[in-house]
Amino acid sequence: MDKRLYSIETPCYVVDEKRLTENLVILRDVANRAGCKILLAQKAFSMFSVYPLIGRYLDGTTASGLFEAKLGNEEMGKETHVFSAAYMEKEFDEIVKICDHISFNSFAQWQKYGKKALDAGRSCGIRINPQHSTQEHGIYDPCAEGSRLGVTIENFRPVLLEGIDGLHFHTLCEQNSDALIETVAAVEEKFGEFLPQMKWVNFGGGHHITREDYDREALIDCILRFKEKYHVEVYLEPGEAIALNAGYLVTSVLDIVHNGIDIALLDASAACHMPDVIEMPYRPPLWQGGEPNEKAYTYRLAGATCLAGDVIGDFSFAQPLSIGDKLVFMDMAIYSMVKNNTFNGMCLPSIAVLHESGELNIIRKFGYEDFKGRLS
Ligand SMILES: *Cc1c(COP(=O)(O)O)cnc(C)c1O
């Protein structure tokens, strides 16, 4: 681990430019070989100070609504896509001005907004739900029973397809290409007759393309075959894969208490600064931290908020922890700074970049005004 991380004021998210670039090189290579376009899904990672770097490798951004669309358009440029489960009337005029592709979650939304989008020369799509679940995490499964995301084949309205250029599906989460291949088969089975009349098909996100065990050749074959069969442009819009394993959350031990177990209180909080730890739930990797009892000294690592459940997990260390020690959580670029909050009046972690040159730059610090500014 880079020594410079241990001299930084905590708590701080640090994005590692070298690792980010390694991911981007992989994604560019996939896009070139598959002949597809790859967008950054900003929902996972919206650190706009590195958008110029990302824009050198990817084709643009996708957004879940107006604010993300504006951010992508302002800070990266290139293609700006948007999908919202339901657009807000007061926002749509601005969306139409900046978004190249606009995907709708229902035919009612298409009927309501389609003319505005087409008049502005925008390319419109319908999100479909192939009703083929490939994962267990209910809250991250858009194909789960009762899902509001995407039009099922029962509700599909072929008579309303005039003006629609594309179909969009997003059903995966942290998955390998085998899950995509199954999903594409389900899409073809249910919606295959409509594919030849499309200009593009967006395969959504959830593709863990930059993970070590990801089968990229199978992904590329799948896209090439699809393009050849239907003569469409294929888009992927991963979020996680762009900044996977490319960031850290550096934190300090504030106090150590004992209650059946040794508990280290940190200046980083699961509830505020890594909410997926509680929501998913998952155990974040910690540099030099082992499983409980794997090394000599086991501690429960916890936030300094009043929430009893603000626990990051139990980890073991070769040496006892001391107050003031710094700990480095890994894989903290994605779904972290986009989801954090100031619950309990906790300060937001600073945001820094570790440049390829070795220089460590703090880009943004937060303070009391950020807490107060979103309340009244
Ligand atoms: C969340 C989401 C993505 C990105 O998903 P990752 O799991 O971060 O790759 C892409 N498209 C849509 C529509 C999404 O909701």
Side-chain angles (χ1 to χ4, degrees), residues 86-103:
Y87 291 100
M88 279 190 252
E89 223 162 292
K90 62 177 184 202
E91 294 185 351
F92 201 77
D93 286 342
E94 219 178 327
I95 284 178
V96 150
K97 275 193 209 134
I98 58 176
C99 294
D100 304 291
H101 281 209
I102 301 176
S103 290

Side-chain angles (χ1 to χ4, degrees), residues 7 22 62:
S7 59
E22 284 165 4
T62 190

Side-chain angles (χ1 to χ4, degrees), residues 41 43-44 62 64 83 127 168 170 172-174 204-207 237-241 335:
K43 182 183 76 187
T62 190
S64 319
F83 161 80
R127 177 164 172 175
H168 180 297
H170 167 75
L172 307 183
C173 179
E174 302 189 335
H207 319 282
E237 47 179 35
E240 289 216 5
Y335 292 106

Side-chain angles (χ1 to χ4, degrees), residues 135-192:
Q135 49 156 327
E136 306 291 301
H137 278 293
I139 84 162
Y140 294 116
D141 182 6
C143 294
E145 212 167 297
S147 169
R148 71 192 181 290
L149 298 168
V151 181
T152 59
I153 191 66
E154 289 74 25
N155 293 301
F156 202 71
R157 307 271 305 274
V159 294
L160 297 178
L161 283 179
E162 200 185 319
I164 289 289
D165 284 347
L167 295 180
H168 180 297
F169 64 87
H170 167 75
T171 71
L172 307 183
C173 179
E174 302 189 335
Q175 282 168 288
N176 212 313
S177 42
D178 54 345
L180 174 67
I181 289 165
E182 276 182 38
T183 301
V184 167
V187 166
E188 288 188 85
E189 191 195 314
K190 293 200 164 76
F191 298 93

Side-chain angles (χ1 to χ4, degrees), residues 100-101 110 118 121-126 161-167 194-195 197-201 232-233:
D100 304 291
H101 281 209
W110 161 236
L118 294 179
R122 301 314 184 187
S123 190
C124 294
I126 291 281
L161 283 179
E162 200 185 319
I164 289 289
D165 284 347
L167 295 180
F194 311 111
L195 293 171
Q197 71 196 78
M198 296 298 155
K199 295 195 174 106
W200 52 265
V201 177
V232 289
E233 178 92 73

Side-chain angles (χ1 to χ4, degrees), residues 297-314:
Y297 303 92
T298 293
Y299 292 83
R300 176 156 300 165
L301 302 182
T305 68
C306 300
L307 175 73
D310 190 356
V311 169
I312 300 158
D314 294 354

